[in-house]
């Protein structure tokens, strides 16, 4: 870990301390997991890779609902001052994700997000792939008990639309995402089968 990456890690720890969401996903674990996946599998090299890794650690720094109580989210100007303009650009790309239109189905919403993802830089796309792997692992290992099983099945299917749209940016991360999605859907199918037997 470079000095700049270490600096971003400390900032992420401050920003996301104690934040838990969904079915018990620890925000800091997701951020660190995303960083680790990019660190081990990135196709980028040298400064471009370092910038991507810093952005992976700060990719939720702006999102108020993912920030610890009493801590202010970072503005993009603060991200640039804290790191550099290239890290800012990647974080801005990720922050530009289209808002979900409630008049659309989940499939329609994620088709829009998939088109958006195709236009991102390779660094932003690698972070998105790594983030989706993290999401799939949590949904596979700790499905949110507050959500019906059908919701989980749709979750895997719709998020995979985005993954498929950017699969060419990093074959290793894509294969990992596909494998984790398939494992997760198998878990949900098994739970659905067991539930049916109860009736």
């Amino acid at each position: 870990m470079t000095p700049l990456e270490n600096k971003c890690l400390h900032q992420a720890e401050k920003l996301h301390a104690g934040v838990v969401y969904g079915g018990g996903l620890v925000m800091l674990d997701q951020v660190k997991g995303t960083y680790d996946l990019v660190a081990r599998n990135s196709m980028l090299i040298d400064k471009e890779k370092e910038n991507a890794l810093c952005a992976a650690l700060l990719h939720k720094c702006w999102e108020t609902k993912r920030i610890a109580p009493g801590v202010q989210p970072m503005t993009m100007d603060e991200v640039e001052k804290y790191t550099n303009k290239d890290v800012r650009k990647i974080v801005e790309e990720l922050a530009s994700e289209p808002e979900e239109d409630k008049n659309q189905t989940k499939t329609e919403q994620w088709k829009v997000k998939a088109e958006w993802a195709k236009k991102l830089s390779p660094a932003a796309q690698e972070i998105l792939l790594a983030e989706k792997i993290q999401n799939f692992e949590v949904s596979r290992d700790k499905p949110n008990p507050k959500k019906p099983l059908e919701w989980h099945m749709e979750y895997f299917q719709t998020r995979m639309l985005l993954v498929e749209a950017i699969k060419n940016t990093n074959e290793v991360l894509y294969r990992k995402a596909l494998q984790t999605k398939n494992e997760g859907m198998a878990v949900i199918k098994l739970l659905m089968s067991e539930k049916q037997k109860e009736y």
Side-chain angles (χ1 to χ4, degrees):
M1 184 175 279
T2 68
L4 184 57
E5 289 167 39
N6 194 52
K7 181 181 178 183
C8 292
L9 173 61
H10 288 312
Q11 181 69 353
E13 290 172 340
K14 175 184 174 183
L15 288 166
H16 305 303
V19 177
V20 179
Y21 70 99
L25 177 60
V26 177
M27 190 66 229
L28 190 56
D29 287 348
Q30 187 202 29
V31 168
K32 288 180 177 178
T34 299
Y35 169 90
D36 287 339
L37 281 164
V38 176
R40 285 186 275 114
N41 301 292
S42 180
M43 302 297 292
L44 304 170
I45 59 171
D46 301 329
K47 191 63 179 177
E48 285 187 347
K49 182 175 180 179
E50 181 187 49
N51 289 335
L53 290 169
C54 289
L57 289 166
L58 298 177
H59 78 282
K60 292 294 187 183
C61 71
W62 56 275
E63 194 172 342
T64 305
K65 63 182 179 179
R66 305 289 186 238
I67 303 299
V71 180
Q72 291 298 314
M74 295 178 77
T75 66
M76 294 304 156
D77 285 342
E78 288 171 336
V79 171
E80 181 173 345
K81 185 176 180 181
Y82 200 79
T83 55
N84 58 55
K85 61 182 176 56
D86 295 315
V87 174
R88 173 186 178 151
K89 180 178 180 295
I90 300 167
V91 176
E92 277 184 325
E93 285 185 279
L94 295 166
S96 71
E97 181 175 345
E99 300 239 350
E100 295 186 358
D101 184 344
K102 301 302 182 185
N103 294 318
Q104 295 178 321
T105 65
K106 284 293 183 183
T107 297
E108 290 169 338
Q109 290 170 9
W110 281 90
K111 282 182 177 178
V112 171
K113 290 175 186 282
E115 290 302 313
W116 159 78
K118 287 179 183 178
K119 301 170 186 173
L120 302 178
S121 66
Q125 289 179 344
E126 285 194 345
I127 292 168
L128 273 179
L129 286 171
E131 182 187 56
K132 290 297 166 275
I133 292 168
Q134 291 287 293
N135 295 154
F136 290 164
E137 287 179 346
V138 170
S139 293
R140 177 195 66 193
D141 301 336
K142 291 179 63 178
N144 187 341
K146 297 178 182 178
K147 301 288 187 181
L149 294 173
E150 292 76 12
W151 181 93
H152 290 286
M153 191 64 73
E154 183 182 49
Y155 182 94
F156 285 113
Q157 293 168 333
T158 53
R159 273 61 177 180
M160 199 64 195
L161 293 170
L162 185 149
V163 171
E164 290 287 352
I166 57 175
K167 65 181 182 181
N168 292 332
T169 199
N170 188 308
E171 185 180 348
V172 176
L173 287 173
Y174 168 70
R175 288 202 310 267
K176 176 76 170 171
L178 179 61
Q179 177 185 346
T180 312
K181 183 269 295 185
N182 288 339
E183 291 170 350
M185 288 185 70
V187 168
I188 300 303
K189 285 178 181 176
L190 180 60
L191 291 173
M192 292 173 81
S193 176
E194 291 174 349
K195 186 177 180 181
Q196 286 178 342
K197 290 177 183 177
E198 293 175 2
Y199 294 99

